[in-house]
Amino acid sequence: MDYKQTAAEILKYVGTEKNVAQLEHCSTRLRFTLNDQKKVNEEKLKAVPGVMGVVRSNQFQIIIGNDVVEVYDALLKMIDFNHQTTPAVPAEKQKLSKTALDFLIGIFQPLVPAIAGAGVLKSILILLVAMHVMDDGGALYKILVSISDATFYFLPMMVAVTTANKLKSNRLVAIAAVGVTLLPAVTTMIADGTTLFGIQLQNIAYNAQVFPAILCVSFLALMERLMNKVSPKPIRIFFVPMIALAVTVPVTLLFLGPLGYNVGQIFTAAILFLYDKLGFVALTVLSAILPLMVATGMHKTLLPYALATYGELGYEMLYLPASLAHNIGESGACFAVALKAKDETLKSTAFSAGISAFMGITEPALYGVTLQNKKVLYSVMLGGGITGAFLGLLSVKAFAVVGPGAASMSMFIDSTNGMNIVWAIAGFVLALVSSFIFTLILWKEETPAAAAAAASGKPLEGSHDVLNVLCPIDGQVVALDQVGDEMFSKKALGDGVAIIPEVGELRAPADGTIQMVFETKHSLGMTTANGTEILFHVGLDTVNLQGKPFTPRVKAGDRVKAGDLLLKFDIQAIKDAGLDPITPVVVTNSQDMNVVVVKTGQANQHDIILQTQRKEG
């Protein structure tokens, strides 16, 4: 990759330097804070060499993979953050759940490098001691292991910084506020039993706690905003932090700290209760669905749980073992694709992604291979589920919070149970081999002719089983990547299009049989004569409407003709509920069918929007 050229093209298509307010990166993604996301040219971005995909959220994320640091460094040389003059466009309103998720991810994502580095170091030290290469009583060991201990002990301070960044609060004042909870004099006073304003302070060890720090800085940010409004400008520089700290720290020790601590305790207890009652079932399910959680960013919500559990118990036995099953499963699947693929680009991409996943970094594999091929995704989920069940049945524990991979397997060494690491290694092999075999059996490479037709958008030819799919709803036909739900936009459910409806009527796009009408009536599925399986999903998150705006005119098992009315729906009611009525039309068995988008733009029920044809072999 020419990093300079890639960076230049990325900068051009995100709206130039003037549109970039902030830039950071994680292990595989560039994370842009943009003044106006509407200036982004997504189609051009996806065509830039080295770009694996894009994700829209509060931050605009560009997936690069293993070369992200080099591209990031090249970008920094092209952007002058000291001369930003373009005012930020107000962000569009989001649902509370998405806002909360973005908030949590924004706090914990920047912590990953420090946590991962400290975790891998500790796992290596555990291995060296177990092999009697290093003495755990020696000065060098104690200093090195203190790096990991300090990272987690002072985790509240790091959370204070990331929370302050997220809330645009003063980071140093946030550190001062949270630092009080770790001050030896304060911790001793709390342990000895102290009352404040007649209220007994709860005896809490705040080290390694994340929720109290988040609540503390959130309250501090509110106090700063309030004080900035009332403070005289000449004394604002000391008056605002003085009053904000003087109010926030007592409130934290009296109410917010205990609230955050107890929430964390309840959260951890609930997860462990689920694990105790369901045993390996919980780990099986989590391991199987982790590819979908990682694709949507939902896995980041498990990091607070893992940190809280590790801080409380000294080990974790759900999320990290499940991550082992998923990470190595991705690796095995990619190696199978690399072995089986004839296309040189796919072969090299899969091999590189497989090595990254082998070491614990899965996003190149997930976005570059797995989500592009549904049967590879199924193989990873099957292998992950089987491995999760194995690890759950044997109660494998992780003793460092780090992404599991070949370099960090010593995180599973248990000084009181020598078999823990043995079973973890067995799980590593099981995930690698099972996903590899499933992929070899299930995945077939698309023929070059079909791939070229799909890429060019030219009509399919040469067989009587070519199906013309008519537009099922009058409206504006757009590409799936315009859908604000990654399960559709990333084509995890299959290829197709989406329609911005202008008429609240869904009609059959071809002759076929209704296979499913979802109980909340917002979604239908049908199979056509040539075996094309089509899913219609009217609106995003419309499952929450419990069927109110929808009136189905068919039921499962009904045979329909092209043009038959399948469903009536109230577009305005969907919009009034704050939801997007955009309707994905997806071929869910795209792994078996060649799918070509024939038409986008304005269309009605007489227009052909897709063509499908069963793949050869």
Side-chain angles (χ1 to χ4, degrees), residues 283-534:
L283 188 51
T284 302
V285 173
L286 180 57
S287 301
I289 66 172
L290 260 180
L292 305 180
M293 295 184 69
V294 174
T296 58
M298 285 294 295
H299 68 300
K300 300 297 183 185
T301 60
L302 293 171
L303 185 56
Y305 148 73
L307 291 171
T309 303
Y310 178 78
E312 179 71 18
L313 305 176
Y315 61 83
E316 198 278 323
M317 54 195 302
L318 182 59
Y319 174 51
L320 294 173
S323 295
L324 172 66
H326 168 238
N327 293 359
I328 308 308
E330 291 277 4
S331 179
C334 284
F335 286 144
V337 171
L339 177 65
K340 198 174 181 182
K342 294 181 176 61
D343 181 82
E344 291 300 322
T345 300
L346 177 59
K347 186 184 287 288
S348 61
T349 298
F351 185 72
S352 173
I355 292 174
S356 293
F358 192 81
M359 302 305 291
I361 304 296
T362 60
E363 284 184 305
L366 188 66
Y367 288 100
V369 180
T370 306
L371 291 180
Q372 308 296 330
N373 304 276
K374 186 180 290 187
K375 287 192 176 179
V376 180
L377 174 63
Y378 292 160
S379 300
V380 172
M381 295 177 73
L382 283 169
I386 291 170
T387 306
F390 174 81
L391 296 172
L393 284 169
L394 295 167
S395 301
V396 172
K397 301 175 181 177
F399 292 87
V401 182
V402 62
S408 57
M409 284 302 292
S410 55
M411 66 190 284
F412 294 102
I413 293 177
D414 184 353
S415 58
T416 63
N417 177 16
M419 290 304 294
N420 193 74
I421 181 64
V422 174
W423 296 133
I425 293 173
F428 185 107
V429 175
L430 177 60
L432 188 72
V433 173
S434 61
S435 295
F436 182 88
I437 292 174
F438 283 133
T439 304
L440 280 182
I441 294 172
L442 296 177
W443 179 72
K444 294 180 180 179
E445 187 173 9
E446 189 173 318
T447 61
S456 66
K458 294 179 180 178
L460 296 168
E461 299 175 352
S463 175
H464 66 279
D465 71 345
V466 172
L467 175 74
N468 293 325
V469 179
L470 300 175
C471 186
I473 303 174
D474 291 357
Q476 192 78 12
V477 180
V478 298
L480 273 182
D481 59 16
Q482 301 299 307
V483 180
D485 184 320
E486 292 193 0
M487 286 300 96
F488 294 110
S489 64
K490 296 296 181 185
K491 300 184 181 181
L493 297 178
D495 204 352
V497 294
I499 303 171
I500 302 171
E502 296 174 358
V503 178
E505 294 181 350
L506 172 67
R507 296 184 178 275
D511 297 351
T513 302
I514 301 300
Q515 299 296 332
M516 174 274 292
V517 178
F518 203 76
E519 59 182 345
T520 51
K521 307 173 187 176
H522 71 292
S523 181
L524 291 83
M526 68 176 290
T527 301
T528 68
N530 77 335
T532 302
E533 298 171 7
I534 305 177

Side-chain angles (χ1 to χ4, degrees), residues 20-61:
V20 180
Q22 186 177 343
L23 174 63
E24 54 193 16
H25 73 88
C26 57
S27 55
T28 57
R29 305 185 187 196
L30 297 168
R31 294 173 175 270
F32 288 87
T33 300
L34 301 176
N35 294 317
D36 186 358
Q37 287 200 16
K38 293 179 181 178
K39 293 182 178 180
V40 174
N41 189 329
E42 278 195 35
E43 292 303 319
K44 294 285 189 180
L45 267 177
K46 291 175 182 177
V48 174
V51 172
M52 294 182 173
V54 300
V55 178
R56 282 186 183 267
S57 62
N58 280 357
Q59 287 183 316
F60 187 82
Q61 303 168 22

Side-chain angles (χ1 to χ4, degrees), residues 114 117-118 121 125 141-153:
L121 178 60
L125 291 173
Y141 174 85
K142 290 181 178 179
I143 290 173
L144 293 177
V145 83
S146 294
I147 296 171
S148 178
D149 292 342
T151 300
F152 289 97
Y153 185 91

Side-chain angles (χ1 to χ4, degrees), residues 78-97:
M78 302 177 184
I79 303 173
D80 183 1
F81 292 104
N82 295 320
H83 296 88
Q84 296 291 331
T85 57
T86 306
V89 174
E92 296 180 8
K93 289 186 177 180
Q94 299 187 80
K95 292 185 301 180
L96 180 61
S97 59

